[in-house]
Amino acid sequence: MNSINNIKTVVFPVAGLGSRFLPATKVVAKELLPILNKPLIDYAVNEAKNAGIERFIFVNSPHKPSVINYFKKNEKLEKELGDKNSEYFKLISSNLIEQENLIEVIQDKPLGLGHAIWCAKDYISGPFAVILPDDLVLSDVPCIGQMIEVYKKSKSNVVAIQEVDKNNIEKYGVIDYYKNENNIYHVKGMVEKPAKEKAPSNLAIIGRYILNPSIIEELSNHELGVGGEIQLTDAIKKLINTERVIGYKFDGNRYDCGNIMGALEAQLSVAIKDEKYKSQVKEIINNLCKD
Ligand code: G1P
């Protein structure tokens, strides 16, 4: 179980339809679309594992069992591959999550991110992390690990933030703050998907959170927010009355894999950072740019 300073649990909301990626998502869950040879969700789980997280809660739709199966042993494939020392065998073994730490919770109605987190309530007993797999963050120190450090020092809820162009601000939750010290912003308000003119800052919330369990109570009245959905941002905003909330400008690059161009940029960025593919990718891009 979680002690106050020890964040060992992460929640991944993965129940979304992935409509931006239709028709692919007719048959493949958005979270399983690959960035090179690994599905998007693998990057999120790996980030959490590298930050010391041990318990993985997937809030899933009833129609996407493959997202969970990806982290389970595939005995049939293991048999087919045969040699346990082969490179392929290693590739299918390195991403496994032990059964007792792999929890699936079903969200059967698309009622929003806040509702998805609330669905995990029976498994939350202390502070926990939330990672939205659509937001891929490439960094030296895992983004969620950076945030756990901030949580340990401050005992405050922590949301990841980054500056975004004001013309895109209405896609995000946006913080209002009363002071900042370096990368730490003390939050006094937040609003989900504000119109450009109404945004309190250009600091957008990115899909990484460290939350106290009290968030579950805030979510339990199922208040509808923007888009007719139960918004996590609204619930965190209410927490500000009784608890501190910090906006943390993380070190690293974030790619919005929830849309096609963001996913393409992520592909190229991951490939160009990989020694194995670097020079080929540069060559491909150079050739394409000549046309
Ligand atoms: C969600 C959150 C929003 C946050 C965004 C980050 O929105 O509700 O506050 O800024 O993720 O990606 P969504 O992208 O699901 O509409």
Side-chain angles (χ1 to χ4, degrees):
M1 281 295 121
N2 281 320
S3 76
I4 187 74
N5 256 344
N6 212 1
I7 290 155
K8 295 289 175 197
T9 297
V10 62
V11 178
F12 298 109
V14 295
L17 269 180
S19 40
R20 289 204 192 101
F21 287 87
L22 282 169
T25 43
K26 253 172 91 177
V27 292
V28 183
K30 174 179 68 172
E31 294 75 16
L32 296 181
L33 293 174
I35 303 285
L36 299 189
N37 61 332
K38 289 185 200 150
L40 183 57
I41 189 69
D42 189 293
Y43 291 83
V45 167
N46 212 33
E47 178 184 331
K49 279 186 180 170
N50 287 336
I53 284 174
E54 293 167 355
R55 208 161 151 257
F56 304 85
I57 304 175
F58 295 83
V59 181
N60 200 4
S61 97
H63 312 295
K64 294 161 69 176
S66 49
V67 176
I68 309 300
N69 289 341
Y70 176 76
F71 295 101
K72 291 184 181 169
K73 263 167 102 71
N74 181 336
E75 279 165 14
K76 191 169 167 272
L77 182 57
E78 282 184 7
K79 260 190 203 141
E80 275 169 33
L81 289 174
D83 179 7
K84 291 202 167 180
N85 295 316
S86 78
E87 210 41 51
Y88 290 140
F89 199 95
K90 280 182 201 149
L91 285 174
I92 64 160
S93 315
S94 61
N95 55 15
L96 301 178
I97 301 176
E98 313 83 61
Q99 210 178 322
E100 68 270 25
N101 289 327
L102 176 59
I103 299 159
E104 184 181 29
V105 176
I106 296 296
Q107 181 189 22
D108 49 12
K109 291 186 199 112
L111 294 177
L113 176 59
H115 180 252
I117 303 306
W118 178 83
C119 287
K121 63 185 182 313
D122 292 346
Y123 299 93
I124 302 296
S125 57
F128 62 103
V130 174
I131 295 185
L132 310 189
D134 273 3
D135 283 332
L136 171 64
V137 180
L138 300 179
S139 53
D140 294 337
V141 178
C143 179
I144 205 72
Q146 297 175 38
M147 294 170 72
I148 290 172
E149 287 309 307
V150 174
Y151 179 86
K152 281 183 185 170
K153 282 187 199 134
S154 65
K155 308 283 186 307
S156 307
N157 301 275
V158 187
V159 299
I161 51 169
Q162 75 171 21
E163 279 172 32
V164 299
D165 187 309
K166 272 258 171 162
N167 290 319
N168 288 326
I169 204 85
E170 60 190 36
K171 294 183 190 156
Y172 297 96
V174 180
I175 67 154
D176 192 6
Y177 62 96
Y178 58 95
K179 66 171 181 176
N180 77 301
E181 298 137 37
N182 304 317
N183 292 343
I184 304 284
Y185 289 71
H186 297 268
V187 175
K188 64 171 179 177
M190 53 177 65
V191 49
E192 181 67 16
K193 299 191 172 56
K196 187 178 165 186
E197 319 68 61
K198 294 207 170 136
S201 73
N202 66 344
L203 293 168
I205 300 171
I206 299 311
R208 301 286 184 280
Y209 309 78
I210 305 290
L211 297 170
N212 283 323
S214 40
I215 194 72
I216 300 293
E217 211 183 305
E218 297 296 353
L219 288 165
S220 57
N221 57 12
H222 288 196
E223 220 169 87
L224 300 182
V226 74
E229 294 188 342
I230 301 166
Q231 297 292 350
L232 183 58
T233 304
D234 294 343
I236 302 173
K237 183 182 170 190
K238 282 199 208 134
L239 269 190
I240 299 171
N241 296 325
T242 49
E243 294 182 18
R244 280 178 308 188
V245 178
I246 282 175
Y248 172 67
K249 234 193 222 179
F250 57 95
D251 283 333
N253 293 318
R254 171 254 180 182
Y255 302 89
D256 179 4
C257 296
N259 72 67
I260 292 172
M261 283 303 112
L264 179 62
E265 190 187 0
Q267 290 274 2
L268 292 171
S269 306
V270 171
I272 221 157
K273 284 184 169 68
D274 190 317
E275 284 307 321
K276 192 166 149 198
Y277 301 115
K278 196 179 191 162
S279 58
Q280 288 174 69
V281 178
K282 284 189 179 164
E283 199 182 321
I284 291 169
I285 295 173
N286 284 339
N287 286 340
L288 287 172
C289 291
K290 278 184 206 146
D291 297 341

